[in-house]
Amino acid sequence: MTSENVSAFIKNVDPEFYILVVFKHSNKLNDKIILVEIKFFKNKNDLMEHVKSKNYVFLKNPSDENQEKIKKSLNLIRKYLLGRKINLYDEFRLLNVEFLLELKFSSPFSYKIIQTLLTKGYGELTSYSQLGEAIGSKAYRAIGTILKKNPLPLVIPCHRVVKKAGQTGGFMGKMNSGWEIELKRYLINLELAHI
DNA sequence: AAGCGCGGCGCGA
DNA sequence: TCGCGCCGCGCTT
């Protein structure tokens, strides 16, 4: 086996939710490590179901270089959730963690949207229409569908995109209400409180 | 061909 | 003023 999926999760207590973080890397030393997926869950059961369905393997012994990077990555996310003003995209790049964005956002339109979004800093809110204007498009709805399939929330800060009129807007496929929307609001407030 | 994590406009309280 | 519904929009599946 040259390559394997490694996952780990973080529990947040207030509000309570779980974050699954999935890396892919080989056993070889100095080989690249890829951040495959970050996903939120309301409870641990849902998380485990997802892990099972994707055949992810949990990390056992964090000893080699890659596993050290994984530990650092998880700690960065933990610190972020505690309110530290951290740009996870930049930090992960410093760790030489790869994202393979062009795979998930293969069309020029989606790639440009993501690149524009990545210029938004900690606590800097933007809107779907603002992102559209930045790339000369009025396809506001389409921007929503791009962000909806974001495999790396927090790292690709889709929670900073709200509706032009000020409403929270959708998150994780949900529109108006639900714990997903509450989570988006929580993340926004977390950042606004620590700018 | 249908469906959107949106915006804008026009309506009626 | 609002809130709500409808339509247009450009892109994705």
Side-chain angles (χ1 to χ4, degrees):
Chain A
M1 174 193 261
T2 59
S3 169
E4 60 177 343
N5 286 305
V6 178
S7 51
F9 74 87
I10 295 171
K11 178 181 182 178
N12 194 72
V13 283
D14 185 30
E16 181 170 324
F17 59 85
Y18 295 77
I19 304 178
L20 176 69
V21 186
V22 183
F23 298 90
K24 186 173 187 172
H25 67 83
S26 74
N27 296 319
K28 285 178 289 186
L29 214 59
N30 293 324
D31 202 24
K32 63 184 172 187
I33 172 169
I34 300 162
L35 179 57
V36 178
E37 179 181 24
I38 293 179
K39 194 170 169 62
F40 295 93
F41 298 89
K42 187 58 185 161
N43 57 61
K44 200 174 166 183
N45 276 349
D46 294 347
L47 184 148
M48 297 306 286
E49 281 297 314
H50 183 76
V51 168
K52 196 175 166 186
S53 69
K54 293 274 190 174
N55 291 319
Y56 291 147
V57 178
F58 272 98
L59 178 63
K60 297 275 196 310
N61 307 306
S63 53
D64 73 15
E65 185 194 5
N66 279 340
Q67 289 175 346
E68 198 58 35
K69 283 185 189 175
I70 290 169
K71 271 174 66 181
K72 285 181 180 173
S73 299
L74 294 178
N75 279 329
L76 282 165
I77 295 175
R78 286 195 190 94
K79 286 181 193 168
Y80 169 86
L81 290 173
L82 289 172
R84 290 277 297 277
K85 188 176 174 180
I86 290 174
N87 184 324
L88 290 173
Y89 182 80
D90 290 346
E91 294 295 331
F92 281 16
R93 292 206 54 167
L94 286 174
L95 285 174
N96 281 321
V97 172
E98 297 188 30
F99 308 123
L100 303 187
L101 293 187
E102 58 285 350
L103 238 66
K104 195 77 184 181
F105 303 106
S106 49
S107 77
F109 176 80
S110 59
Y111 192 78
K112 277 188 278 185
I113 288 296
I114 295 305
Q115 292 303 318
T116 307
L117 175 55
L118 284 172
T119 66
K120 304 297 172 186
Y122 188 95
E124 186 182 358
L125 297 188
T126 184
S127 68
Y128 299 93
S129 61
Q130 210 174 107
L131 291 178
E133 282 163 20
I135 70 162
S137 168
K138 290 182 183 174
Y140 313 123
R141 299 192 67 158
I143 294 169
T145 43
I146 298 299
L147 268 39
K148 179 181 176 180
K149 65 172 189 176
N150 174 15
L152 305 177
L154 300 187
V155 172
I156 299 172
C158 57
H159 59 281
R160 291 177 195 149
V161 187
V162 298
K163 286 206 184 188
K164 187 181 185 182
Q167 305 101 304
T168 309
F171 197 55
M172 293 170 67
K174 287 292 186 308
M175 299 281 287
N176 297 311
S177 59
W179 72 272
E180 296 90 344
I181 308 300
E182 295 302 318
L183 174 58
K184 182 175 181 179
R185 270 199 273 271
Y186 170 76
L187 293 173
I188 291 171
N189 291 333
L190 174 75
E191 294 194 3
L192 292 182
H194 297 272
I195 284 179

